[in-house]
Each structure stands twice: as structure tokens, then as C-alpha cells.
Amino acid sequence: MLTSPEPKGLVPFTAESLELIKNHIAKKCNEEHEEEDLKPSWGLEAGKKLPFAYGTLPQGTVSEPLEDVDPYYYVKRNTFMVLNRNRVIFRFNAVSILCTLSPLSSLRRAVIKVLVHPLFRLLILISVLTDSILMCMSNLPEWILAVENTLLGIYTFEILVKVIARGIWAGSFSFLGDLWNWLDFSVTLFELITRSSPLSSLPMFKTIRTLRILKIIPLNHGLQSIVVTLVQCLKKLLGAIALALFFLTVSSLFGMGLFMGNLKHKCVRWPQEDGNDVMYNGTGSQYHILERENFYYMEGARYALLCGNKTDAGLCPEGYMCVKEGSNPDNGFTSFDNFGWALLAMFRLMTQDYPELLYHQILYASGKIYMIFFVLISFWFAFYMASLFLGILTMAYEQEKQRASEESRDMDSKCHQTVKEFEEEHEGAEMETTQIEMKKRSPTSINTTLDILEDTALGHKEEPETSRKECPLCWYKFTKTCFIWKCSPCWIKLNEFADRIITHPLFDLFLVICIILNICFLALEHFPMSEELMSLLAIGNLVFIGIYTIEMILKIIAMHPYGYFQISWHIFDSILVVLGLTEMLLADIEEITVFILVPLIFIKLGKYAPPFKNLMRILGRALVALKDLVLLVSIFIYFSAVFGMKLFGRSYKDCVCHVDQDCQRQRWHMSDFLHAYVTVFRILCGEWIETLWECMEVAGEAWCIPFYMMVILIGNLLILYLFVALVSSFASYDATTEVSKEAKNLQLAVAWIKMVINCVLLKILCKEKTVSTEATDQTCDPSVKENISGHTLSELSNTQTFLRYKDQSSGTEKTPVTESESQSLIASPSVSETVPIASGESDIENLDNKETRSKSANGSSKEKMKQSSSSECSTVDIAISEEEEMVYEHEKSKLHKNGYERKSSAGQVSRESRNGKIWRNIRKTCCKIVENSWFECFIGLVTLLCTGTLALEDIYIDQRKTIKIFLEYGDMIFAYIFILEMLLKWVAYGFKAYFSNNWYKLDFMVVIVLCLSLIGKTREDLNPLASIKFLRALRVLSQFERMKVRQI
């Protein structure tokens, strides 16, 4: 019975191994249930490199048959493996089924050595690349035929080597067990047949040879694994593909039923009643034969004007009649006359390629009501189905990514275990050999042997560190001597001076300003330019290049050349300086293209923006990780271009008169590789229908439609998968990245400038404040009581706040306010109720949120709340803002300084309380009105009606007098309602609260728009003001936004 050993080492494949495999095949049926749990290891797949956990390859194991280290293949697939010198795994079937030599055969072993050798693989790759380059060339010289025959011989030799080494049919690792070998064998055999027959001149047989380009995929394991992954994704997309085909079929049948034959309706010149107008054919006979001169053409139009016999369809001009004659538009390729053309039209709508032309054609021929059909089709296919495909691809990619990460973790854990076992075995073997040597040697050499053992152990510890070095020690000594400058004390002082300059924050700020100015100077270039501007730009360019050069020199002096060129941004700066200096040197030389520095200089700003640097880093890593996928997309585009050139190149040359009357080749064709490549790129960008019409004109529908469908479907699948992979890689973007030194210096310089400006402003303002404070202090002392008694309630705040002046004052001096006086001040709670609405219950958003959060977070928040400032309709206490708290502290210090207390007579308090109560009741009433649900529903209905009336205004409004008068009165009513609403909210919330809400600001703007539009209707010179009334539709946003916030 064949066991499933753990992969602990590399064992040569011998006759005993082959006998075990044969015995296992004989007993396979009885042991099948025991082997169901085995799965292939992800890190030991064929084509991958053997993990380094298996240690270095022992001598005699390279290019020799070995027992498979993966139990799955060794037990279930009965294979052996071969490793080349690059540790790449190759698997072969060990059993002989059909023309397969034994693994012990010397011929098979020799051929296997040839197959697994890296030079053989490199030879095949070079041959395929050479053949691919020759395919894209036209008008080749005669000696190229010898090169092609040589390449064909190399391909034939490769097939023979694979057949002998792998066997014709011996399992999944045989020659015919790989589909890529089927393709290679078919192309080679077909090419051998056509080389010796007259069929080689036919374009179709030349096209089959282009499949050789796809041979690059199996030569690269990364490309091959991506193709396997895409096939798995395609299996998951089968349901969505079936759904898309079903809806395409149904919509095509609907289109046939609705528009069959309608696109042949044209405006034809028709004889008048007097019979003078007669239509003639090309021979001059009097028949109603419709030719080009009998159709009506719009000026500059290529096709005849379409029309329809329905009321909302297109109408013919006078003297013409709508008749169903002639061919369909776009050379007969756009129609719904049969299922095939209807399916192509629906596929065109699904991909949204030039859909507006098809809309216009159908609306002219069938009527405007059918716009609903196109809206539904476009929404369903262009949005829903596209989202479905993208979602399935994203899910498949995430599953594949998760599976790969899990397998890599498992492989890493196994590798760590294997490494530990190897290290233990290696150390044990070394200890044994050392003890044997010690016994053989004399006693005097024991100490020396112990030293050797210690050196050996230390060498093993230091081995990982020395293995990381990529260069020898002499190179590092040369670098330290030549590129790290520490020559003399004077140079060290210069180094320190340059370091202080480049690390100063103002230096980075100066560089940023120079970069921005340089970009502005470069953006001023245009054609033609005056001499003054050209000289100004030239001088500016010299100045900026000089600044960048000085920056580079200072940084090289401060950091030494070795440290300077270790930073990628500094390398980029040096490239900019070299390009700028080169441009200056070549400025006087004609016919020399100058370097375009605008995008490069703009990128130079990136090092001062950490998010930009992080995004660039992530994008670079994503492109490196997805290099195989990008290469696969490039190979597909190249293959499609060569395939199209070989298939349609001659047709575009021979049948060019079918497309153009002057027999001039159009811009989009496939006669050469460059135009074919651009055409394929245009197809992948979504613009394919126009080039398809021209292709069908010159080559027919049988070849053009399949080729275009292949490019569209496979190309979009690859591009979508690449898009999903890029988006998934950007998911690792972390906005909280470490800020670079340059960015920190820039922020510090800006902070310094702000601080200087604030200090200057504070000094100026403080002088004015001191003067005004002294004047007020001189005038306030004699008449304290009158000023206090004359204050309004809003100025005095509430009584409780005033009492806190007394309670929280220092105990050295007590205020002489008696208890009766304090009770009289707080006898009426209406005295201090100055704000009837609390922010927490109104519609006002983001009003004093910062202050409320900061106050509620403290334990002393209750002391900073106005206890009596809430109205009866409010349950939320209003927090004191930071400005009010500052005023409170200022007034408190002033009271203590001047030594007076606040007093007020009973008559004055009662008079103020009566006025305050009336005003409070008015505001409370307005608050209840504007916050009533019925009022809000009424305003919402008026808003919808106001917006809906805008749809009734068109260019024919002057002809409909009744509707025009109705709209004018409606505008007046809407304006009055919105003005009334605004006034109510002003009273209820106050100006500050009202204009602190962005939605209320929008409502206020709409009211202004309504008033201006009404004013514009009164005078003719103000008519432009009436056109801004369409901005009142923005009022709907405020209503819906507020409803949405309330539901949340």
C-alpha cells in the first residue's frame, strides 16, 4: 500500500518508487475512500518554485526524477517531479498508457533534462516573440522566409521533446492532457501543411498562424494562473450571462414587433395634382422608381430623411410624402427587420455605443412615445446588468484573494516547521561530525576544535544577515570613500550650514512657492506669443532652474551624494534639474524637441502632500502586483490587432471603394498594424459600431461580427477584472500616514506666518481696546445705577446669571444685595425668558453643537446653563457659548474692579417683564406654527406645485393666454407664501439661528429669486431677471433633505 508521506525531503525516483505506484494503481478502488481528504498544495503547483523551506538542492537532484513532495499528486495522480536549477517544479506521469516511455528510460531522462532546462524555455520564448514581431510587419523581405522556416523547425522540435518527455496520453501531465499543447500542435501542423500547398496565400490560413502569439501565456506561470482564475470567474458569470441573453432575446423580439420595417420610411418627392412633377429613373422612363434624387436629404446628411405616418413621428416637407421604400439607414445595417439585426441593435444599446443616433432614427420613424422603450432598455442593460456583472466579478476576486491568502498562510506555517526540522537535523549532523574529528585528533587540538565549533555556530547566526547583502564588501568601502564626504573641518562646517538651510521650514515654503510660480509661468505659454512674453518666460525659466539646481547642490552637500540618492524624491528632483539644464543647452539648436516639464514639476509638489505620496505608493505596488494581469491585457490587444490585420487587411485595400466613393481609405481601418491596434483600442473604449459598419462593407458580416464580439466580450472581461483588482488594492489606503519632513516643515512655516500676522493684528487691536476701555471706565463710574437700570433684558441676561457674579466672587468683599431684593428680581420667571426656542427641538441643524458637546462632557456643565432661558414649549437647556463665557468673565472682573452691585427698581423690572412676556408669546406662537406637521406638509405641497408649474412654461406660452395668466397669479401666490414662511421663522428662531442653517439660506435665496422674477415681469428692461425663476426648483432639496434627516 502506498503511503502519503510528509514532504520532508527530496527523494530520487527509483524502481522501488515506480513499483509502489503500480501497486497503488492496482489497489486504488479499495483505498479511494481513504484518500478523499487529500488536496493539492498551493505552493507546490507545477510551474512554481520549490519553497526554500526544503533547503538547498542536493547534488544529483537537479533535472533528475524525484518522488513528488506533494502527497496529493504522489498518491492520487501517480506522478513524479523534476526540478531545474532555478527550483521550478515540473511534473510528469509515471505510468505508461499510450506511447509513454518508462521514467527509468535513459532516453526519457535525457529529453526531460532538455525540457526542464531554462535555456530551452528561453529559446522558445525568444522564438515566439520574434514570430509575433514578424506577424505585425507588412512587405517583408525575402530572407524573412528563411527565418520563419527556422522558427517552424524550432516549434516542431519542441513538440517532439514534449511528446517523448511527457508521453502522448498518460494523464493530466501528458502532452495531450494540456490544452495549450493542443493549440500548439494544431497551429504547427496546420502551418506545416499550408507551407507546402498553394493555400498559404489565402488570408484565412495566414490568420491561423497569429494564434502563436497566445503561446506566451503557458510560458509564464503568472499569466497561466490568471487565465485559470478568469475561467473560474467565467463559470460564476454563467447565470448572469444567461440572464443577459434572455433579456436581449426578449427585447429584440419586442423591437421586431414595434419597429419592423419602420426605418425604411423616407420622404419621397411626390407628383402634385396638376401632374407636372414626374419622377424618372436612371434611363429617363416615367416610372415611380425611387432613387437617390427622389429622396429628401437634409443639408450635409449622408442618408435620406426618415419619417413616419403617426402623429408624433417625423413629418416630410411640402411636396414630399412618407413612403416605405429604399434601404435601411447606416448602409442597411441598422434595422429591426429580422431577429439578427434586432439583436445587434439591442446589444448596441446595452453597450451604449452611439445610442442617440438609434434614438433619433426610431423617434423619427415610429414616434416619440417609444422613447419609453429605449429608456427602459438602457436602464436595465447599461446600469443593472453592468452592476450585476461587476458585483459578481468583485465577489469572485475577493474569494480568490481570500483563498490565496489562506493557502499562503498554511504554506508559511508548514515552511516554518520544515525550516526548524532542517536546522535541528543540520546542527545535529554537524555536532556528530565535529565529535568524530575531535576523537581522531590529538588532545592538544581539542581547544582548537572547540573554537572552530563556536565559529561555526556564530557563522550560522550571522548567515541570514550576510545573505541580505547584495554587493561585496569592497563595493561598500568604495561607496563610503567616494560618496560620503568628510574631508576636512571646513567641509564639515559647510555641511552643517547647508543642513541648517535645507531643514529650515521657510526653505520648504520658499520651494513650494517657486514650484507654483513655475507652473503658472509654464501655463502662460501659448501660440503665438509676443517678444516681451517670450523673454519674460525665458528669464523665469532660467531663474527657476537655477533655484532647483541650488536646492540640489545644498542637499548633496548636507546629505552627501550617498544619502541624497537613497531617497526617490531626490532622484526625481535631480532628473528635473538635468532635464532643465539640457533644455537650456539645446534652446538655440533647431529641430530639437524640448522637454515638457509641466507634469513633472507638478508631481514635484507631491512630496509636500502625504496623501498624494501614499496614493502613488499604493498605485505603484498595485501595478507591480498586477503586472501579470496588465501583461495579459496587453497581449490580448496585440493579438487582436494582428488577428484583425491578417483577417481584414487585404479587404480594406481591395474593397475601399465600397466605403468611399473616391476610393480613399478611411481613417479607421486594419490595413496595417498601427491602424489595427488603434481600431482595437477604440473598440475596447466602447466605440465600435461605426467601425463595424465599415468592416461589414468591405469584408462581410460573417467574419466582422464574430471578431468584434470576441474583442468586446473578452476585452471588457479583462478590463473589468483589472479594474476590480485595482480598486481592491486601493482598499489598503490609509489616510493617517506619517507626515514627511518636508510636509511638516511646510505646515510649521505656515503656522509661523499665521502667528506673526495674529500678533501684529492683536497689537493693533489691543491699543484701540485699551483706549476705548479707559474711556468707558471714566464714564461708567458716576452713573452705574442709571446704566444698569436702563439696560434691556437681553443685555442683562437673566437674574440667575447675575447672581452668580455675587456667589462665585472672591470672599474678600461681599455684595450688599439683600435677600428680599434678590427674591424680587426672580419673582417673575418671565423676566429672563428671552429665547423661546431651544436648538434641540427646532429644525436648525448644527446649531451650537460644538458648545453643547463640550459643555455636556464636563461635570460642571450645569453651572454653565441658563436655567430659566427655556420656553414652555422647550425641554432643552441652552448652553452658554464661548463668546458669552468670555464676556461673563470680563464683566465679572469689571464688577470686582469697580466695586458696585447691580440694582434695579421694581417698576422697571415689571415694565420689562410685561414687554418680554408679550414678545415671548409671539415667538412661541410662531414656533408652534412653523413646527406644526400640517404647516410643513402645506409648505412641501406648495413647493412641489411651485416646481411643477415650471414645466408648463415653454416657447408656446404666449399663445396660451389662460395658462400664462394662471402661472403669473401662481407665482405671486407662491412668493407671498414663501415670504410669510420666512417671516414666521425669523420671529420664531431669530436672525442668527435662521441664517446659521444652510437649508434656510437656500430658502432665503429662493424667496429672493421669486421677488426678482416678479420685478422682472413688470419692466421690459428687467426681463433677464425673470429667467432666474427656474432656480426656485432648488427649494425641493431643502424639503426632501429635512424630511430625510427627520426619518433618520
Side-chain angles (χ1 to χ4, degrees):
M1 177 180 175
L2 185 66
T3 59
S4 57
E6 293 293 329
K8 293 184 178 181
L10 301 176
V11 181
F13 191 85
T14 59
E16 290 78 7
S17 304
L18 183 61
E19 188 66 25
L20 285 174
I21 290 177
K22 290 181 178 179
N23 294 335
H24 172 67
I25 294 174
K27 301 178 181 179
K28 188 175 182 180
C29 298
N30 298 328
E31 299 179 0
E32 187 174 2
H33 62 281
E34 299 178 0
E35 301 169 359
E36 291 179 354
D37 295 335
L38 293 177
K39 294 182 180 180
S41 178
W42 177 75
L44 297 174
E45 292 179 354
K48 291 187 176 181
K49 291 186 177 182
L50 184 71
F52 286 97
Y54 290 90
T56 58
L57 299 180
Q59 189 176 5
T61 57
V62 177
S63 301
E64 294 292 336
L66 304 171
E67 290 186 2
D68 207 322
V69 295
D70 192 341
Y72 173 80
Y73 292 104
Y74 186 69
V75 175
K76 299 192 70 174
R77 296 298 181 91
N78 307 315
T79 61
F80 66 93
M81 73 173 191
V82 178
L83 302 175
N84 63 5
R85 63 185 183 185
N86 295 332
R87 305 174 64 94
V88 179
I89 300 174
F90 293 85
R91 283 196 171 86
F92 301 87
N93 293 97
V95 293
S96 301
I97 298 177
L98 179 61
C99 299
T100 304
L101 299 176
S102 172
L104 305 177
S105 172
S106 58
L107 176 61
R108 188 178 183 186
R109 284 175 176 254
V111 174
I112 286 175
K113 290 182 179 180
V114 175
L115 179 63
V116 302
H117 201 281
L119 292 180
F120 180 78
R121 200 179 189 89
L122 181 61
L123 174 65
I124 300 301
L125 180 60
I126 294 174
S127 302
V128 174
L129 293 177
T130 305
D131 205 3
S132 302
I133 294 173
L134 294 177
M135 289 179 195
C136 70
M137 300 172 64
S138 56
N139 300 325
L140 297 174
E142 295 181 357
W143 59 269
I144 294 296
L145 183 61
V147 177
E148 293 179 351
N149 293 332
T150 303
L151 295 175
L152 182 59
I154 294 174
Y155 300 144
T156 307
F157 174 71
E158 178 198 9
I159 291 175
L160 292 176
V161 168
K162 287 183 177 180
V163 168
I164 296 174
R166 296 188 176 276
I168 297 178
W169 181 255
S172 57
F173 295 100
S174 62
F175 180 79
L176 296 180
D178 190 356
L179 295 179
W180 294 107
N181 291 334
W182 281 84
L183 177 64
D184 191 20
F185 177 75
S186 303
V187 174
T188 304
L189 180 63
F190 195 84
E191 192 173 357
L192 287 172
I193 295 173
T194 55
R195 284 292 175 89
S196 58
S197 64
L199 299 176
S200 59
S201 60
L202 296 178
M204 181 58 197
F205 296 102
K206 290 183 178 180
T207 304
I208 295 177
R209 180 168 165 251
T210 59
L211 297 174
R212 185 86 65 191
I213 300 174
L214 301 178
K215 188 177 175 63
I216 300 175
I217 296 176
L219 293 175
N220 188 305
H221 183 266
L223 295 176
Q224 195 171 4
S225 61
I226 288 177
V227 171
V228 174
T229 304
L230 288 173
V231 172
Q232 298 296 328
C233 293
L234 198 60
K235 292 179 180 179
K236 296 179 180 180
L237 286 172
L238 288 178
I241 293 172
L243 182 64
L245 289 176
F246 172 75
F247 281 108
L248 272 177
T249 303
V250 172
S251 60
S252 301
L253 295 175
F254 268 105
M256 288 176 60
L258 295 174
F259 313 122
M260 183 182 292
N262 290 359
L263 294 180
K264 288 188 176 181
H265 287 154
K266 298 177 182 65
C267 293
V268 182
R269 185 184 295 113
W270 204 253
Q272 301 297 326
E273 295 180 358
D274 55 3
N276 294 328
D277 295 335
V278 180
M279 292 183 297
Y280 294 93
N281 59 6
T283 60
S285 301
Q286 182 179 348
Y287 293 102
H288 292 279
I289 298 176
L290 306 177
E291 294 183 347
R292 181 176 177 83
E293 60 270 12
N294 295 323
F295 295 145
Y296 180 80
Y297 289 83
M298 299 290 290
E299 185 178 356
R302 184 179 179 183
Y303 302 103
L305 179 65
L306 297 178
C307 60
N309 294 320
K310 297 183 179 180
T311 55
D312 57 344
L315 302 177
C316 292
E318 187 178 356
Y320 288 83
M321 182 175 291
C322 189
V323 180
K324 184 184 291 186
E325 288 294 343
S327 61
N328 288 304
D330 304 322
N331 296 327
F333 299 129
T334 301
S335 70
F336 291 86
D337 296 348
N338 54 54
F339 179 75
W341 293 120
L343 187 65
L344 180 63
M346 290 298 104
F347 185 78
R348 173 185 169 186
L349 285 179
M350 183 180 75
T351 57
Q352 290 293 294
D353 181 22
Y354 209 177
E356 61 273 12
L357 178 61
L358 187 58
Y359 295 164
H360 294 161
Q361 290 169 350
I362 292 298
L363 296 183
Y364 268 102
S366 300
K368 300 180 180 64
I369 189 64
Y370 293 104
M371 188 66 187
I372 301 174
F373 174 79
F374 288 102
V375 170
L376 294 177
I377 294 297
S378 299
F379 175 79
W380 181 260
F381 286 109
F383 296 99
Y384 177 76
M385 294 303 298
S387 302
L388 179 62
F389 277 91
L390 189 60
I392 295 175
L393 272 180
T394 305
M395 180 182 64
Y397 179 80
E398 292 297 334
Q399 291 177 356
E400 184 66 22
K401 187 177 178 181
Q402 184 178 2
R403 184 189 65 82
S405 62
E406 291 176 356
E407 290 179 351
S408 64
R409 283 197 298 267
D410 296 340
M411 192 65 191
D412 290 340
S413 61
K414 293 179 181 179
C415 288
H416 288 308
Q417 294 177 0
T418 310
V419 166
K420 290 181 181 178
E421 293 176 1
F422 271 116
E423 289 179 352
E424 292 176 358
E425 294 177 0
H426 193 57
E427 291 177 358
E430 285 189 352
M431 290 290 293
E432 291 178 1
T433 54
T434 305
Q435 290 176 2
I436 293 172
E437 290 180 358
M438 289 172 63
K439 290 179 181 179
K440 291 180 180 179
R441 296 181 181 181
S442 59
T444 57
S445 62
I446 293 179
N447 295 331
T448 308
T449 308
L450 290 174
D451 295 337
I452 294 172
L453 184 61
E454 291 177 359
D455 294 339
T456 305
L458 291 174
H460 284 299
K461 294 179 181 178
E462 296 175 356
E463 184 177 359
E465 298 179 359
T466 57
S467 62
R468 295 177 184 175
K469 296 182 179 180
E470 300 179 356
C471 302
L473 185 61
C474 60
W475 176 252
Y476 286 99
K477 290 182 179 179
F478 172 76
T479 304
K480 185 177 180 180
T481 304
C482 299
F483 298 103
I484 298 179
W485 299 339
K486 295 182 180 179
C487 305
S488 61
C490 296
W491 178 261
I492 294 175
K493 290 182 179 179
L494 181 61
N495 175 273
E496 293 175 353
F497 175 73
D499 184 70
R500 286 196 298 269
I501 293 176
I502 66 172
T503 56
H504 199 278
L506 294 179
F507 180 78
D508 289 297
L509 179 62
F510 173 74
L511 287 178
V512 171
I513 295 173
C514 290
I515 294 170
I516 295 173
L517 290 176
N518 194 6
I519 294 173
C520 295
F521 269 66
L522 293 173
L524 290 176
E525 294 185 4
H526 60 276
F527 181 82
M529 290 190 298
S530 61
E531 294 292 337
E532 294 80 4
L533 183 59
M534 291 179 63
S535 61
L536 177 63
L537 294 179
I539 295 172
N541 189 24
L542 292 175
V543 171
F544 292 125
I545 292 298
I547 292 172
Y548 300 150
T549 307
I550 294 172
E551 175 202 4
M552 184 182 72
I553 294 172
L554 287 175
K555 287 185 177 179
I556 289 176
I557 294 173
M559 303 175 65
H560 309 294
Y562 180 79
Y564 179 82
F565 289 103
Q566 292 294 317
I567 302 174
S568 57
W569 282 107
H570 292 168
I571 297 174
F572 179 78
D573 294 343
S574 63
I575 293 173
L576 276 181
V577 172
V578 172
L579 291 178
L581 295 176
T582 307
E583 183 179 355
M584 290 171 56
L585 295 175
L586 300 178
D588 298 332
I589 302 176
E590 297 181 357
E591 299 181 359
I592 297 295
T593 304
V594 296
F595 300 100
I596 303 174
L597 298 178
V598 177
L600 299 179
I601 294 174
F602 186 78
I603 294 174
K604 187 177 173 69
L605 285 172
K607 63 181 177 181
Y608 298 100
F612 178 80
K613 292 174 60 177
N614 194 21
L615 285 174
M616 292 294 294
R617 188 182 301 110
I618 293 174
L619 181 60
R621 292 176 181 175
L623 292 178
V624 171
L626 301 174
K627 60 182 184 301
D628 293 329
L629 185 56
V630 175
L631 180 60
L632 183 61
V633 174
S634 304
I635 291 173
F636 175 76
I637 296 175
Y638 184 86
F639 164 74
S640 302
V642 176
F643 191 86
M645 184 187 69
K646 296 294 182 181
L647 188 61
F648 307 119
R650 180 177 295 182
S651 300
Y652 274 101
K653 293 179 181 179
D654 298 341
C655 305
V656 66
C657 296
H658 295 176
V659 181
D660 187 73
Q661 294 180 355
D662 300 331
C663 297
Q664 297 293 327
R665 207 159 42 187
Q666 299 294 313
R667 177 176 297 178
W668 302 99
H669 60 84
M670 297 186 185
S671 300
D672 54 73
F673 173 75
L674 181 60
H675 285 85
Y677 190 89
V678 175
T679 303
V680 171
F681 189 80
R682 181 185 179 185
I683 293 171
L684 293 178
C685 290
E687 298 182 2
W688 55 272
I689 191 64
E690 292 179 285
T691 57
L692 177 61
W693 293 336
E694 295 180 0
C695 179
M696 289 189 291
E697 280 287 326
V698 299
E701 300 89 348
W703 291 110
C704 291
I705 293 178
F707 172 77
Y708 272 73
M709 293 299 108
M710 177 198 72
V711 175
I712 292 170
L713 297 177
I714 300 179
N716 284 323
L717 176 64
L718 292 174
I719 292 173
L720 275 178
Y721 193 78
L722 178 61
F723 171 76
V724 169
L726 282 174
V727 172
S728 179
S729 64
F730 275 98
S732 60
Y733 169 69
D734 186 11
T736 60
T737 55
E738 184 180 357
V739 183
S740 61
K741 294 181 179 179
E742 292 85 358
K744 289 180 179 178
N745 287 342
L746 182 62
Q747 295 174 2
L748 186 58
V750 174
W752 282 359
I753 294 174
K754 289 182 178 179
M755 183 179 64
V756 171
I757 295 173
N758 290 333
C759 290
V760 173
L761 293 177
L762 284 175
K763 287 182 179 179
I764 297 173
L765 295 176
C766 285
K767 291 181 180 179
E768 296 179 356
K769 287 184 178 181
T770 53
V771 173
S772 60
T773 305
E774 291 175 358
T776 52
D777 290 341
Q778 293 175 2
T779 56
C780 284
D781 292 337
S783 55
V784 173
K785 294 182 179 181
E786 284 125 344
N787 290 336
I788 293 296
S789 62
H791 284 324
T792 60
L793 291 178
S794 60
E795 292 172 343
L796 289 175
S797 185
N798 52 37
T799 307
Q800 298 293 337
T801 304
F802 171 75
L803 290 177
R804 280 202 297 269
Y805 284 111
K806 176 176 72 69
D807 297 335
Q808 297 178 1
S809 61
S810 58
T812 58
E813 183 179 338
K814 295 184 179 181
T815 55
V817 179
T818 62
E819 183 178 358
S820 60
E821 289 175 336
S822 64
Q823 292 296 331
S824 65
L825 285 174
I826 62 173
S828 177
S830 62
V831 174
S832 59
E833 295 182 306
T834 59
V835 182
I837 306 302
S839 62
E841 293 180 342
S842 66
D843 288 337
I844 304 171
E845 302 169 357
N846 301 323
L847 183 60
D848 296 338
N849 287 336
K850 181 178 179 181
E851 289 81 357
T852 305
R853 286 194 298 268
S854 61
K855 299 301 183 295
S856 61
N858 298 328
S860 60
S861 61
K862 295 182 180 180
E863 297 178 359
K864 298 181 180 179
M865 303 293 291
K866 297 182 180 180
Q867 301 293 338
S868 61
S869 62
S870 301
S871 62
E872 296 178 2
C873 62
S874 174
T875 59
V876 181
D877 293 332
I878 297 178
I880 304 174
S881 64
E882 295 179 359
E883 292 81 1
E884 293 175 350
E885 190 172 356
M886 293 174 62
V887 173
Y888 162 74
E889 296 292 340
H890 180 66
E891 295 293 334
K892 175 181 175 182
S893 61
K894 187 186 295 185
L895 287 171
H896 285 293
K897 180 179 179 181
N898 297 331
Y900 64 88
E901 67 271 6
R902 180 180 176 185
K903 293 184 179 181
S904 179
S905 63
Q908 290 171 337
V909 172
S910 61
R911 183 170 62 254
E912 295 291 343
S913 63
R914 285 196 300 271
N915 296 334
K917 185 175 182 180
I918 295 172
W919 178 243
R920 180 183 62 84
N921 291 332
I922 294 173
R923 296 190 66 181
K924 185 168 67 173
T925 305
C926 294
C927 171
K928 291 181 179 180
I929 293 174
V930 298
E931 292 194 346
N932 190 277
S933 59
W934 288 101
F935 181 80
E936 292 182 353
C937 292
F938 172 73
I939 295 298
L941 179 62
V942 171
T943 302
L944 293 177
L945 291 175
C946 179
T947 306
T949 55
L950 295 174
L952 300 177
E953 299 188 17
D954 51 18
I955 60 174
Y956 306 107
I957 190 65
D958 293 331
Q959 301 176 7
R960 295 175 288 186
K961 302 295 183 182
T962 306
I963 297 179
K964 183 178 180 180
I965 295 172
F966 171 76
L967 293 178
E968 289 178 355
Y969 281 104
D971 292 342
M972 294 174 60
I973 295 173
F974 296 144
Y976 296 151
I977 292 175
F978 291 146
I979 291 172
L980 178 61
E981 180 205 10
M982 182 182 67
L983 294 176
L984 288 174
K985 289 182 178 179
W986 281 0
V987 175
Y989 301 146
F991 290 106
K992 181 179 178 181
Y994 183 87
F995 288 104
S996 64
N997 189 319
N998 293 327
W999 293 113
Y1000 289 163
K1001 291 178 183 177
L1002 179 62
D1003 296 346
F1004 178 75
M1005 186 186 74
V1006 172
V1007 172
I1008 298 300
V1009 167
L1010 284 170
C1011 295
L1012 292 178
S1013 61
L1014 292 177
I1015 295 172
K1017 292 180 180 180
T1018 58
R1019 296 179 57 183
E1020 294 184 358
D1021 55 345
L1022 298 178
N1023 280 337
L1025 293 177
S1027 61
I1028 65 175
K1029 63 184 176 183
F1030 295 98
L1031 295 175
R1032 69 192 190 197
L1034 299 174
R1035 178 64 192 261
V1036 180
L1037 297 177
S1038 64
Q1039 294 295 322
F1040 289 161
E1041 179 67 19
R1042 195 149 51 246
M1043 292 177 185
K1044 183 175 68 175
V1045 171
R1046 289 196 172 192
Q1047 289 175 359
I1048 292 174

